[in-house]
Amino acid sequence: MFFRLATLGCKVNQYETELVRSALLQSGFIEAENGMSADLVIVNTCTVTAESDAKSRKIIRKLIKENPGAKVAVMGCSVTHQPDAVLKIGGVSHILTDKSKLPDFLQQLNIRSVPAGITSFGGRHRAFLKIQDGCNNGCAYCIIPKVRPVRQSRRMDDVLAEMQALVRTGYREIVLTGIHLGYYGVDMSGRTAETTNLTELVRRAADLPEEFRLRFSSIEAVEVSDDLIDLMLRYPDRICHHLHLPMQSGSSSVLQRMNRRWLCEPFVNRCEEILARFDRLALTTDIITGFPGETDEEFQETVDAVQRLRFSKVHIFRYSKRSGTAAAAMPNPVPPKEQKRRSAYLADIAGSLRCQYAASLIGMKETVLCETAVGHAAGGTCSRYMDVRFDLPQPMSGHLVPIYIESVDGDICRGKVCGTPPSHSFASL
């Protein structure tokens, strides 16, 4: 039988789709190539915004049309949040509203078992590794606590074993991810004799003999401990010098309405403490513009905070009303035109800061994950999460390559290979 998978949404969703792909392949299914009709279609949906729900349903309908007669199964946060809306789509045969019941769901599709972990990641050069699920922080704009409310961490030994399996396959960058990454291990407190938290997991991963590096997905600033920073400094070749700390707003009054855990000044102070310990740490963030009631003055506070911290990249999102969240009922919505203006204004500033950060790396030696190669021209992502272009004397796709940064073109770094790179290519991807 031939299958086709489609994924929307976050890194955790992408990991869960890879787990399903592994189960299908182990059970003898064959992934359909482009243009082929599949016998089984599985869509992993997202519900982070109303637009995500609509996009999920659109893709489901599209795949039903393109794969006539296929068994169509739908999983993910959108079907958890709005199962009836998905069931109304003609042609959907199975839905999974609770991912803890994934084994039962797959057995209904004649898939024998779910593997303990993954050893590949859809042909990509970096692999996302889910270590934690669930969040109950209750940010006013977020629906996720309603669809993934149970905080659950994976056993550390299982995570480390899966990490090593991915490295043996050829992956040289592993991105640790979770719905609330910094809460890894909190739910296991008292249930095991060993210390289980993100710092201890990273400490054990740092001592593994294989050649690879770790990157963190989004983590709250309050959860970046001094011990974790110590590890990042002690193992610069193993742990990327990059942190993604979501600020969401630089206005304390907006953060209060958002029900965020930290107000602006404590967040900024903590970021400055972290930055002071590194040589050019890449600090990236998320910002929501146009949250209900956001005034011009509050937006300017966000601009000021971004400029003060000089983020190397800012992911900007215009506020989108999400039914079922506290923010959906808040008064004084910001008009879409003004949301767009603020986003564009902030994007210009963020773009300039990114170019300045790129220029600050000139003269540095950076380790780059080689992700593209056409002839001798190659490109990839360095430890500090910047795009780097360089020439290669030989194919090294998928490898970590030492690069000396010589110049920049906007926010693109350009450099040359230094040292003695690996002599073999990453043929498995």
Side-chain angles (χ1 to χ4, degrees):
M1 289 182 68
F2 291 93
F3 72 90
R4 175 162 282 112
L5 301 175
T7 311
L8 299 94
C10 65
K11 291 180 176 66
V12 171
N13 254 22
Q14 293 174 55
Y15 171 88
E16 290 166 347
T17 294
E18 291 306 317
L19 194 64
V20 171
R21 176 180 277 110
S22 295
L24 288 162
L25 294 172
Q26 288 182 17
S27 297
F29 286 73
I30 302 170
E31 189 156 11
E33 297 180 0
N34 289 337
M36 291 180 58
S37 181
D39 305 295
L40 171 65
V41 172
I42 300 180
V43 183
N44 196 355
T45 60
C46 175
T47 193
V48 70
T49 64
E51 183 181 353
S52 300
D53 278 329
K55 188 175 180 181
S56 294
R57 293 192 292 269
K58 182 178 179 180
I59 288 178
I60 293 167
R61 293 188 183 97
K62 179 175 181 288
L63 289 171
I64 289 172
K65 183 177 180 179
E66 292 176 349
N67 299 272
K71 186 180 293 184
V72 177
V74 183
M75 57 188 285
C77 294
S78 184
V79 73
T80 300
H81 183 227
Q82 296 180 329
D84 291 342
V86 174
L87 282 171
K88 288 179 181 177
I89 300 173
V92 173
S93 56
H94 295 75
I95 64 169
L96 173 64
T97 59
D98 181 356
K99 284 187 178 176
S100 68
K101 297 179 180 178
L102 182 60
D104 296 336
F105 174 69
L106 293 179
Q107 285 181 3
Q108 295 174 27
L109 302 174
N110 298 319
I111 301 167
R112 291 188 290 274
S113 63
V114 182
I118 61 174
T119 58
S120 63
F121 208 88
R124 303 181 188 186
H125 290 100
R126 60 167 51 84
F128 303 150
L129 177 51
K130 174 185 169 183
I131 66 171
Q132 183 274 344
D133 203 342
C135 177
N136 55 17
N137 271 2
C139 296
Y141 51 81
C142 187
I143 196 69
I144 299 305
K146 292 193 175 183
V147 295
R148 291 184 183 260
V150 180
R151 291 192 304 216
Q152 186 173 19
S153 303
R154 297 180 60 195
R155 291 181 64 251
M156 197 176 302
D157 286 343
D158 292 341
V159 172
L160 293 167
E162 186 171 6
M163 192 181 296
Q164 289 180 289
L166 286 163
V167 174
R168 284 194 295 270
T169 302
Y171 291 90
R172 294 295 175 260
E173 181 173 309
I174 308 296
V175 183
L176 299 180
T177 189
I179 299 299
H180 191 161
L181 185 66
Y183 257 54
Y184 173 74
V186 172
D187 55 293
M188 303 178 77
S189 178
R191 289 165 41 196
T192 176
E194 66 177 359
T195 301
T196 303
N197 57 42
L198 183 60
T199 301
E200 183 60 23
L201 172 64
V202 173
R203 190 191 321 278
R204 290 182 60 182
D207 289 331
L208 295 175
E210 293 85 1
E211 180 197 6
F212 71 102
R213 71 186 185 191
L214 291 173
R215 191 182 299 277
F216 306 120
S217 62
S218 180
I219 183 171
E220 297 290 343
V222 67
E223 291 152 7
V224 179
S225 67
D226 289 339
D227 287 342
L228 186 59
I229 294 170
D230 290 342
L231 282 175
M232 293 176 70
L233 292 167
R234 193 182 313 157
Y235 297 95
D237 294 331
R238 177 53 54 91
I239 308 167
C240 291
H241 278 199
H242 165 225
L243 288 171
H244 184 82
L245 309 180
M247 183 168 71
Q248 307 301 5
S249 174
S251 166
S252 289
S253 51
V254 172
L255 290 169
Q256 285 180 314
R257 297 199 296 276
M258 287 180 169
N259 198 33
R260 293 286 290 166
R261 295 169 67 191
W262 274 21
L263 301 183
C264 181
E265 198 62 24
F267 175 92
V268 170
N269 289 340
R270 182 55 181 158
C271 287
E272 290 180 334
E273 290 172 357
I274 294 170
L275 287 167
R277 296 196 59 190
F278 290 86
D279 178 16
R280 286 165 281 191
L281 175 78
L283 192 65
T284 60
T285 197
D286 297 328
I287 299 290
I288 298 173
T289 61
F291 190 76
E294 184 186 60
T295 64
D296 289 340
E297 292 76 17
E298 289 171 331
F299 173 67
Q300 185 60 46
E301 289 174 341
T302 294
V303 172
D304 293 344
V306 167
Q307 292 177 318
R308 178 174 167 182
L309 290 173
R310 304 187 66 80
F311 292 106
S312 62
K313 188 170 187 177
V314 182
H315 298 269
I316 302 168
F317 304 89
R318 281 180 272 171
Y319 172 74
S320 175
K321 185 176 180 180
R322 192 71 186 89
S323 61
T325 65
M330 290 182 178
N332 304 316
V334 178
K337 186 176 180 179
E338 178 61 17
Q339 285 190 6
K340 186 176 181 180
R341 186 196 70 79
R342 292 178 185 177
S343 294
Y345 182 79
L346 187 59
D348 285 343
I349 293 170
S352 177
L353 291 173
R354 184 164 176 79
C355 292
Q356 292 172 37
Y357 181 77
S360 77
L361 301 182
I362 294 174
M364 290 192 71
K365 179 183 175 182
E366 273 289 295
T367 303
V368 178
L369 177 68
C370 182
E371 296 169 274
T372 61
V374 180
H376 292 297
T381 307
C382 71
S383 168
R384 288 173 169 81
Y385 204 55
M386 298 297 292
D387 293 331
V388 182
R389 308 288 168 79
F390 50 96
D391 289 334
L392 278 176
Q394 58 199 34
M396 286 186 293
S397 181
H399 276 291
L400 296 174
V401 183
I403 300 292
Y404 177 78
I405 306 298
E406 296 182 305
S407 64
V408 296
D409 181 4
D411 63 351
I412 304 295
C413 297
R414 298 190 180 277
K416 66 178 180 180
V417 176
C418 55
T420 305
S423 60
H424 54 289
S425 63
F426 188 19
S428 60
L429 288 184

